[in-house]
Each structure stands twice: as C-alpha cells, then as structure tokens.
C-alpha cells in the first residue's frame, strides 16, 4: 500500500510540476529530462508510474534512484 501511495504521488508530481520545479527540486532530474516530462505530459497526462517510465525512457533502476533521492519532495508535493 505504501508503494502504491508513493507511485501515485510521483505521478501527481510528474503531471503537475513545472519544468523548473522538476529540475530545481528533484535530484536526478536535469534540464533535458524535465523538458521531456513536460513534453510527454502535454501529449497526455501520465496514468500510472509504469506508463510514465516507459514514455520517458527511464529504467526501473533510474526511477528508483530518483524516487529514493527525493522521497520528501515527492510526498510533500501538493495534491
């Protein structure tokens, strides 16, 4: 259940954060990746974390590293 809440929080952040918020707040997200997130969600919002990873070209390991490095920011991002 905790994993599901964390995944949902990450998807909420990916769907709502600005490009600057993504690159400035999240470790492991630079200019290029932040731009990729914004462009992908402009086509259509992410439905779940697996879909987001696939569309962004991130491996599970890369995503886990980003999530682990940013737990507080992900969980505290406003709904």
């Amino acid at each position: 259940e905790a994993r599901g809440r964390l995944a949902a929080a990450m998807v909420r952040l990916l769907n709502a954060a600005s490009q600057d918020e993504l690159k400035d707040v999240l470790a492991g997200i630079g200019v290029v990746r932040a731009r990729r997130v914004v462009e992908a969600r402009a086509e259509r919002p992410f439905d779940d974390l697996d879909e987001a990873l696939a569309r962004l070209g991130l491996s599970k390991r890369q995503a886990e590293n980003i999530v682990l490095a940013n737990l507080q920011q992900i969980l505290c991002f406003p709904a």
Side-chain angles (χ1 to χ4, degrees):
E1 183 179 335
R3 183 174 287 208
R5 284 195 309 259
L6 182 58
M10 182 67 171
V11 170
R12 186 171 58 247
L13 187 147
L14 290 173
N15 278 328
S18 70
Q19 183 172 329
D20 285 338
E21 286 174 320
L22 289 167
K23 76 173 182 54
D24 293 343
V25 174
L26 295 179
I29 301 286
V31 174
V32 172
R33 195 167 280 159
R35 183 175 49 243
R36 206 176 300 158
V37 169
V38 171
E39 290 170 354
R41 75 171 185 225
E43 293 174 16
R44 71 179 190 283
F46 302 111
D47 291 327
D48 58 50
L49 191 54
D50 288 334
E51 177 206 359
L53 298 179
R55 288 175 51 199
L56 296 173
L58 293 173
S59 70
K60 290 250 187 214
R61 185 169 194 90
Q62 287 172 311
E64 287 171 0
N65 289 339
I66 291 169
V67 169
L68 289 174
N70 298 287
L71 280 174
Q72 184 175 4
Q73 292 86 338
I74 293 167
L75 294 174
C76 293
F77 192 79

